Amino acid sequence: MRKKLLMAFLFFNPIVFLIGWWNGEWMTITVAGFGVIFHALYQEQLEQFDEERVKSMMRTVDSKFVSSIGFLSLFCFCVVVWFFDETSVPLLDTMYVVFGVIMMRRGMLIRSAVLHEKIDLTNVIHIKKTPSS
């Protein structure tokens, strides 16, 4: 039930985004909402693993997350300084967008960790190419 509800919110979000063209704050709130829904959807997939595996996966996700946030903040700073002439950016709208992007990135990292954990490499056959072939 929870997954169906999250999927409904995920599909409803672009509709609210399009309605948000008329009101800019709604548009930024939907970006934050999309990130939160995406994160919650993949966070739910962690329930299928045991506690020790989840801790290991979350340590990996958190280390990648911190390094990507450092790169993202440096990139955003360069884009804002070089390409925008405005002296002020609305703080609330910026916080919504940054929060949505951060939650989306964390959800993507959880997704990749879950997919990596599900891959079973025990039955994989490796074919080596010899110089004569």
Side-chain angles (χ1 to χ4, degrees), residues 56-66 106 109-110 113:
S56 166
M57 289 167 52
M58 289 311 291
R59 271 189 246 122
T60 305
V61 165
D62 288 340
S63 67
K64 289 179 182 179
F65 179 68
V66 168
R106 183 145 191 208
L109 287 171
I110 292 172

Side-chain angles (χ1 to χ4, degrees), residues 16-70:
V16 176
F17 185 80
L18 292 175
I19 293 171
W21 273 136
W22 289 290
N23 187 355
E25 191 168 328
W26 276 33
M27 196 165 56
T28 57
I29 289 172
T30 57
V31 171
F34 185 74
V36 169
I37 291 168
F38 202 78
H39 178 266
L41 188 64
Y42 288 113
Q43 183 78 24
E44 185 179 294
Q45 289 185 358
L46 291 175
E47 294 175 358
Q48 63 189 349
F49 299 110
D50 60 345
E51 188 177 335
E52 189 60 37
R53 264 181 148 173
V54 170
K55 285 182 183 178
S56 166
M57 289 167 52
M58 289 311 291
R59 271 189 246 122
T60 305
V61 165
D62 288 340
S63 67
K64 289 179 182 179
F65 179 68
V66 168
S67 64
S68 65
I69 291 300

Side-chain angles (χ1 to χ4, degrees), residues 85-110:
D85 292 334
E86 292 186 31
T87 57
S88 66
V89 179
L91 182 63
L92 190 60
D93 294 344
T94 306
M95 287 174 49
Y96 286 141
V97 171
V98 167
F99 181 70
V101 169
I102 286 173
M103 294 303 283
M104 175 73 118
R105 177 66 180 152
R106 183 145 191 208
M108 292 298 291
L109 287 171
I110 292 172

